[in-house]
Amino acid sequence: MSHQDSTSRSKPPPEGEEEATSILNLGEFQNVDALTLSEASLVINAVLAKRTKEGKNTNQNELLPRTLTFLDTFTRFKEKENVEAVERLLNAHPELAKFEKAQLGSLCCEKADEAKTVIPSLADKISDEDLQQLLDEISKFMTN
């Protein structure tokens, strides 16, 4: 058998040193506020509604409808009150980075070990019991 060369180019490495592994290294985004998908959906829809009400052109390009479809598909909290309740739950944990809170509020893991697998930086920040309690509280606000 002969070795065939790959027909596609390898993806170039990202320009920054950012990574979200067991240690968060988000570079210039380290302490920037991060939104959950539900929060992003609320913000975008509120801006669009305001612009429409004011008679302004919403200037929709092909990306906006695709973004809204993505958010509608993956948003776990549809009601504004539920989004705010989840935000309060997450903000009650100052030991968590803003990025980690946004990930928890977007991914909606069922179990603490799952959350720590997909968000490895949580490992030494919160106990499994406390994380499970937080996940259980968050799940009460989910929209099916």
Side-chain angles (χ1 to χ4, degrees):
M1 286 189 182
S2 66
H3 178 304
Q4 292 182 335
D5 291 333
S6 175
T7 58
S8 63
R9 294 183 209 154
S10 62
K11 185 177 177 182
E15 290 189 24
E17 298 287 327
E18 296 89 3
E19 62 182 8
T21 58
S22 58
I23 298 173
L24 281 181
N25 181 12
L26 303 177
E28 65 183 287
F29 301 104
Q30 189 70 34
N31 294 311
V32 174
D33 286 333
L35 298 176
T36 64
L37 295 176
S38 299
E39 290 168 325
S41 179
L42 283 179
V43 169
I44 292 172
N45 283 305
V47 168
L48 288 175
K50 182 178 184 216
R51 287 181 181 172
T52 300
K53 183 178 177 182
E54 293 173 351
K56 293 183 179 177
N57 182 357
T58 57
N59 198 16
Q60 291 190 16
N61 59 28
E62 67 183 57
L63 185 59
L64 183 59
R66 290 173 49 195
T67 300
L68 291 171
T69 299
F70 173 85
L71 291 172
D72 188 50
T73 302
F74 293 105
T75 294
R76 300 293 181 236
F77 311 99
K78 307 286 185 191
E79 303 298 322
K80 182 179 179 188
E81 297 79 18
N82 292 347
V83 174
E84 292 169 347
V86 169
E87 182 181 12
R88 283 191 300 275
L89 285 171
L90 292 166
N91 285 333
H93 290 272
E95 71 275 19
L96 302 179
K98 294 173 182 180
F99 173 82
E100 293 163 334
K101 293 175 189 178
Q103 292 298 299
L104 287 170
S106 293
L107 298 173
C108 299
C109 300
E110 291 182 16
K111 301 289 180 192
D113 61 336
E114 175 189 7
K116 287 185 175 184
T117 299
V118 295
I119 312 167
S121 59
L122 294 175
D124 296 327
K125 291 187 176 181
I126 187 169
S127 70
D128 286 354
E129 296 78 20
D130 289 343
L131 180 55
Q132 187 61 55
Q133 183 179 3
L134 175 60
L135 296 174
D136 291 344
E137 289 296 316
I138 288 172
S139 71
K140 293 177 184 177
F141 297 101
M142 283 181 39
T143 306
N144 293 330

